[in-house]
Amino acid sequence: MSNPAIPGSSEIPGFEGMEQGDLKSIAEASAALGVTQRTLRFYEDKGLIQPERVGTMRVYSPREMGRMQLILRGKRLGFSIREIGEFLSLYDHDPDQVAQVQRMLKGVQHRLEELSQQRDAIEQTIEELKTIEAMSRKHLGTVSYTHLTLPTNR
């Protein structure tokens, strides 16, 4: 099953061979997604996923597995839980996914700008450190040790 809102979703763990009626236990879902059960419960507590219940056991549908994949991708890309929640909310209310894709595009552009600024700051810091390193090495290479006095035997 492939979700057009998740590029490459047919290769995402948790989607292979899954039929619409398939449900996964919390242990199966966490293993398929590569996260802990605690992580799944955390996102449930935040309201980002709503696993179904069979008695007291949580079960995860293909929809929840897809939502978790979106959450994990969003976190990996540096989006906040609030931003991911907004994105998922749009997904639920916009069957054509136009608003979702527009919001995602805006968020991606903002994140790219942030990362570009961070990269520039890192590059500047690296250059400053290289300059300090070169100056320090030059200084150590020209230091005269004649001012050092050795203890004398009296």
Side-chain angles (χ1 to χ4, degrees), residues 2-122:
S2 180
N3 182 332
I6 310 173
S9 63
S10 59
E11 299 99 37
I12 293 174
F15 278 87
E16 312 86 20
M18 186 179 280
E19 297 298 324
Q20 189 61 35
D22 287 352
L23 298 175
K24 290 185 180 274
S25 70
I26 191 168
E28 293 167 333
S30 66
L33 293 164
V35 299
T36 64
Q37 293 179 24
R38 183 177 179 182
T39 297
L40 293 174
R41 288 189 294 270
F42 172 80
Y43 290 119
E44 180 183 359
D45 290 344
K46 295 294 180 185
L48 298 180
I49 58 172
Q50 295 86 32
E52 298 174 34
R53 302 278 181 167
V54 175
T56 59
M57 186 174 80
R58 293 172 173 89
V59 290
Y60 296 82
S61 66
R63 176 185 181 275
E64 298 312 310
M65 295 296 289
R67 288 175 70 87
M68 271 305 301
Q69 199 60 46
L70 286 171
I71 292 165
L72 295 173
R73 179 171 289 152
K75 290 303 292 176
R76 212 173 29 252
L77 294 174
F79 292 104
S80 69
I81 290 178
R82 181 189 53 78
E83 290 169 320
I84 293 168
E86 290 171 3
F87 182 68
L88 291 172
S89 175
L90 290 171
Y91 181 76
D92 289 338
H93 296 100
D94 182 12
D96 295 329
Q97 300 171 346
V98 172
Q100 179 190 25
V101 172
Q102 288 172 336
R103 173 70 176 104
M104 179 177 58
L105 178 60
K106 184 177 178 181
V108 165
Q109 290 170 332
H110 178 72
R111 186 70 181 130
L112 282 170
E113 180 60 33
E114 285 179 337
L115 290 172
S116 179
Q117 290 172 359
Q118 289 175 359
R119 182 186 57 215
D120 292 346
I122 289 169

